[in-house]
Amino acid sequence: MTDLILSSNTAPVTMSSREIAELTGSRHDNVKRSAERLAADHILTSPLEGLDFEHRGNAYQEYRFNKRDSLVLVARLSPEFTAAVVDRWQELEAGSNRIPQTLSESLRLAAEMAEKNEQLALANQQQAAQIESLENLFVDGMTPTEFAKRLNGVNCQKVCQALSQRGWLYQDFTGGWRVASYARDRFLTERQSNVPRSSGQVMVRCTPVLLRKGAIHMHKLYLERQLPMKSSWDGQFTHDKSWQGAA
């Protein structure tokens, strides 16, 4: 999130498509495609103008949005993250209204901005490391328990119970875990399979399957120590190296 543009007296304050992706936990390509669809439907007020950038040797293009268009875009992408974008806009606008009147104020503001940029750079590095770690951990079709097995120290036997307390899962009359309406198609989906019974009948078994967004949230809960952990956990937030590169 170091690519923000803080305006001067004449330049408008804008927010980049990459920052919106970071705030909402979305892929940058998905953000851009959503913006392009909104623009095609004449919902956005400003034309989309792509800006070329390079990060770690990889070239990419991003869009920039005014406040109104960014809120429209994030509401389409992920309504639950609208508050995060509103908060960020308040920070941007507060920064744009700070006009130093003296040399000392200018130096103080420059020092504060330099410190904030350092903090943002560190946060960006940490987030990049987390994303890289997640990419090595998550595979489409995994159950929450299978994903938890790749996280060092997590008590996998208690993961489903912990997710049920968060409204993600519930137990049906057979004692099996099912996806709750709150999390369905948001964090989890279900995989159905037919299980023959001795009576000759076939029982349909439903298995909760983690979606990528659910994996992101589980990984966040892990880093915040909000998943059930083993008493023998060494306190290290790492993953099982036997799975490295499996995704």
Side-chain angles (χ1 to χ4, degrees), residues 126-163:
Q126 293 172 340
Q127 185 179 55
Q130 292 173 16
I131 292 174
E132 182 180 359
S133 175
L134 184 64
E135 292 296 336
N136 288 330
L137 296 173
F138 177 66
V139 177
D140 288 336
M142 297 180 72
T143 67
T145 301
E146 289 170 341
F147 181 71
K149 286 180 179 179
R150 301 189 174 190
L151 304 176
N152 178 52
V154 175
N155 189 332
C156 301
Q157 296 180 348
K158 296 183 178 181
V159 164
C160 288
Q161 184 65 38
L163 294 181

Side-chain angles (χ1 to χ4, degrees), residues 26-194:
S26 305
R27 289 184 178 273
H28 188 219
D29 287 345
N30 291 342
V31 174
K32 291 174 61 180
R33 281 194 293 270
S34 295
E36 289 162 0
R37 286 194 291 267
L38 289 171
D41 293 336
H42 306 289
I43 296 175
L44 300 183
T45 58
S46 301
L48 289 180
E49 296 181 358
L51 300 176
D52 295 323
F53 292 88
E54 184 173 336
H55 179 64
R56 295 183 178 179
N58 297 319
Y60 68 93
Q61 187 181 72
E62 68 179 30
Y63 298 132
R64 301 204 73 89
F65 305 94
N66 59 28
K67 182 176 182 179
R68 184 261 185 197
D69 288 353
S70 66
L71 294 177
V72 169
L73 177 58
V74 77
R76 179 188 181 105
L77 283 167
S78 186
E80 67 268 27
F81 285 105
T82 302
V85 176
V86 171
D87 292 342
R88 182 59 186 146
W89 265 107
Q90 290 178 342
E91 292 180 6
L92 288 173
E93 291 174 336
S96 68
N97 292 330
R98 292 183 61 185
I99 303 174
Q101 303 297 321
T102 65
L103 176 59
S104 60
E105 288 181 2
S106 298
L107 294 173
R108 189 182 312 114
L109 179 59
E112 290 175 0
M113 291 183 66
E115 181 179 0
K116 187 170 184 178
N117 285 338
E118 290 178 0
Q119 293 173 348
L120 287 172
L122 178 60
N124 223 26
Q125 292 175 0
Q126 293 172 340
Q127 185 179 55
Q130 292 173 16
I131 292 174
E132 182 180 359
S133 175
L134 184 64
E135 292 296 336
N136 288 330
L137 296 173
F138 177 66
V139 177
D140 288 336
M142 297 180 72
T143 67
T145 301
E146 289 170 341
F147 181 71
K149 286 180 179 179
R150 301 189 174 190
L151 304 176
N152 178 52
V154 175
N155 189 332
C156 301
Q157 296 180 348
K158 296 183 178 181
V159 164
C160 288
Q161 184 65 38
L163 294 181
S164 72
Q165 295 172 357
R166 293 183 172 276
W168 288 28
L169 300 172
Y170 71 94
Q171 284 185 294
D172 60 17
F173 67 95
T174 67
W177 291 107
R178 300 290 305 275
V179 179
S181 58
Y182 164 76
R184 184 178 296 275
D185 298 328
R186 184 183 185 189
F187 301 136
L188 297 158
T189 186
E190 287 186 342
R191 179 175 62 236
Q192 294 186 348
S193 57
N194 295 326

